[in-house]
Amino acid sequence: MNGDHHVILRVVAKALIPIISVFGFFVHFHGEYSTGGGFQAGVILAVAIILYSLIFGIAPCMRAITPGFARTVAAFGLFLYAAVGFWALAMGGNFLDYDALFREAPGGHLGQHVGIIVIELGVLAAVAGRMGAISYAFAGRVGAI
């Protein structure tokens, strides 16, 4: 037996990883209206990364998504989350007071919608990036920081 004895596993993974990723984004963008949101979507996207590393190996995974990129995405998510809070403070509201984000006609909720979506994007990036970095640390390839 000279061939790759994991060929079925690799073919199935190549089909499942894009579906898992799309489902992660669905959970994120549908989370405003039903169950789901940034944390759940971030974990689902991290599962796609971890599945790739388990099936194809940690080295190809680290070439596709470098540990530095994973940490940068996590830091960007944290920055985005904090930026919305400070934006609300700058507009005269409390930290993460979404109604203060946009001055609009009474009864409008544009600030609520924009604030939640941007916060959830920040949580998605922070969780997916950090979970990816943690999986690399568990593999013993990079430090945990």
mmCIF file of all heavy atoms in Angstrom, residues 3 11 26 56 78 90 95 103 109 126-127 131:
data_model
loop_
_atom_site.group_PDB
_atom_site.id
_atom_site.type_symbol
_atom_site.label_atom_id
_atom_site.label_comp_id
_atom_site.label_asym_id
_atom_site.label_seq_id
_atom_site.Cartn_x
_atom_site.Cartn_y
_atom_site.Cartn_z
ATOM 1 N N GLY A 3 0.009 4.318 -1.461
ATOM 2 C CA GLY A 3 -0.724 5.581 -1.516
ATOM 3 C C GLY A 3 -1.051 6.150 -0.148
ATOM 4 O O GLY A 3 -0.695 5.607 0.897
ATOM 5 N N VAL A 11 -10.540 13.962 1.507
ATOM 6 C CA VAL A 11 -11.576 14.408 0.563
ATOM 7 C C VAL A 11 -12.789 14.925 1.323
ATOM 8 O O VAL A 11 -13.353 15.979 0.982
ATOM 9 C CB VAL A 11 -11.948 13.262 -0.409
ATOM 10 C CG1 VAL A 11 -13.208 13.594 -1.191
ATOM 11 C CG2 VAL A 11 -10.794 12.979 -1.346
ATOM 12 N N PHE A 26 -22.800 32.296 8.987
ATOM 13 C CA PHE A 26 -24.260 32.316 9.112
ATOM 14 C C PHE A 26 -24.663 32.512 10.571
ATOM 15 O O PHE A 26 -25.546 33.318 10.879
ATOM 16 C CB PHE A 26 -24.865 31.023 8.562
ATOM 17 C CG PHE A 26 -26.326 30.874 8.897
ATOM 18 C CD1 PHE A 26 -27.286 31.565 8.183
ATOM 19 C CD2 PHE A 26 -26.728 30.052 9.938
ATOM 20 C CE1 PHE A 26 -28.634 31.441 8.496
ATOM 21 C CE2 PHE A 26 -28.066 29.916 10.254
ATOM 22 C CZ PHE A 26 -29.024 30.613 9.524
ATOM 23 N N PHE A 56 -4.686 17.612 7.772
ATOM 24 C CA PHE A 56 -3.591 17.860 6.841
ATOM 25 C C PHE A 56 -2.253 18.108 7.526
ATOM 26 O O PHE A 56 -1.235 18.213 6.862
ATOM 27 C CB PHE A 56 -3.939 19.043 5.934
ATOM 28 C CG PHE A 56 -5.148 18.781 5.093
ATOM 29 C CD1 PHE A 56 -6.376 19.301 5.435
ATOM 30 C CD2 PHE A 56 -5.068 17.977 3.971
ATOM 31 C CE1 PHE A 56 -7.498 19.052 4.681
ATOM 32 C CE2 PHE A 56 -6.189 17.721 3.201
ATOM 33 C CZ PHE A 56 -7.406 18.255 3.558
ATOM 34 N N LEU A 78 -10.304 42.476 19.807
ATOM 35 C CA LEU A 78 -10.334 43.181 21.085
ATOM 36 C C LEU A 78 -10.353 44.692 20.873
ATOM 37 O O LEU A 78 -11.092 45.419 21.529
ATOM 38 C CB LEU A 78 -9.133 42.775 21.941
ATOM 39 C CG LEU A 78 -9.029 43.422 23.304
ATOM 40 C CD1 LEU A 78 -10.219 43.044 24.173
ATOM 41 C CD2 LEU A 78 -7.732 43.003 23.975
ATOM 42 N N ALA A 90 -17.171 58.968 23.466
ATOM 43 C CA ALA A 90 -16.877 60.202 22.745
ATOM 44 C C ALA A 90 -18.144 60.903 22.272
ATOM 45 O O ALA A 90 -18.160 62.135 22.133
ATOM 46 C CB ALA A 90 -15.974 59.910 21.551
ATOM 47 N N PHE A 95 -20.047 53.812 28.301
ATOM 48 C CA PHE A 95 -19.269 52.816 27.585
ATOM 49 C C PHE A 95 -20.218 51.748 27.045
ATOM 50 O O PHE A 95 -21.028 51.185 27.779
ATOM 51 C CB PHE A 95 -18.226 52.188 28.521
ATOM 52 C CG PHE A 95 -17.204 51.340 27.817
ATOM 53 C CD1 PHE A 95 -16.173 51.929 27.107
ATOM 54 C CD2 PHE A 95 -17.276 49.964 27.868
ATOM 55 C CE1 PHE A 95 -15.233 51.163 26.461
ATOM 56 C CE2 PHE A 95 -16.347 49.180 27.227
ATOM 57 C CZ PHE A 95 -15.310 49.782 26.519
ATOM 58 N N ARG A 103 -26.477 60.143 16.374
ATOM 59 C CA ARG A 103 -27.527 61.095 16.750
ATOM 60 C C ARG A 103 -28.565 61.064 15.641
ATOM 61 O O ARG A 103 -28.292 61.409 14.501
ATOM 62 C CB ARG A 103 -26.959 62.507 16.903
ATOM 63 C CG ARG A 103 -25.894 62.613 17.950
ATOM 64 C CD ARG A 103 -26.485 62.373 19.314
ATOM 65 N NE ARG A 103 -25.419 62.461 20.322
ATOM 66 C CZ ARG A 103 -25.454 61.843 21.455
ATOM 67 N NH1 ARG A 103 -26.483 61.111 21.777
ATOM 68 N NH2 ARG A 103 -24.473 61.967 22.307
ATOM 69 N N HIS A 109 -33.228 53.414 15.867
ATOM 70 C CA HIS A 109 -32.342 52.487 16.564
ATOM 71 C C HIS A 109 -31.137 52.106 15.706
ATOM 72 O O HIS A 109 -30.647 50.989 15.805
ATOM 73 C CB HIS A 109 -33.109 51.230 16.962
ATOM 74 C CG HIS A 109 -34.202 51.490 17.938
ATOM 75 N ND1 HIS A 109 -33.956 51.831 19.246
ATOM 76 C CD2 HIS A 109 -35.540 51.479 17.779
ATOM 77 C CE1 HIS A 109 -35.108 52.028 19.864
ATOM 78 N NE2 HIS A 109 -36.087 51.820 19.000
ATOM 79 N N ALA A 126 -11.878 38.073 17.847
ATOM 80 C CA ALA A 126 -11.101 37.772 19.055
ATOM 81 C C ALA A 126 -11.148 36.284 19.388
ATOM 82 O O ALA A 126 -10.114 35.677 19.692
ATOM 83 C CB ALA A 126 -11.617 38.603 20.230
ATOM 84 N N VAL A 127 -12.320 35.690 19.323
ATOM 85 C CA VAL A 127 -12.458 34.277 19.690
ATOM 86 C C VAL A 127 -11.794 33.378 18.648
ATOM 87 O O VAL A 127 -11.043 32.459 18.994
ATOM 88 C CB VAL A 127 -13.944 33.910 19.895
ATOM 89 C CG1 VAL A 127 -14.131 32.423 20.029
ATOM 90 C CG2 VAL A 127 -14.486 34.624 21.111
ATOM 91 N N MET A 131 -8.578 31.208 19.650
ATOM 92 C CA MET A 131 -8.702 29.748 19.619
ATOM 93 C C MET A 131 -7.702 29.134 18.642
ATOM 94 O O MET A 131 -7.131 28.077 18.917
ATOM 95 C CB MET A 131 -10.122 29.330 19.242
ATOM 96 C CG MET A 131 -11.172 29.664 20.266
ATOM 97 S SD MET A 131 -11.040 28.713 21.754
ATOM 98 C CE MET A 131 -11.560 27.134 21.167
#
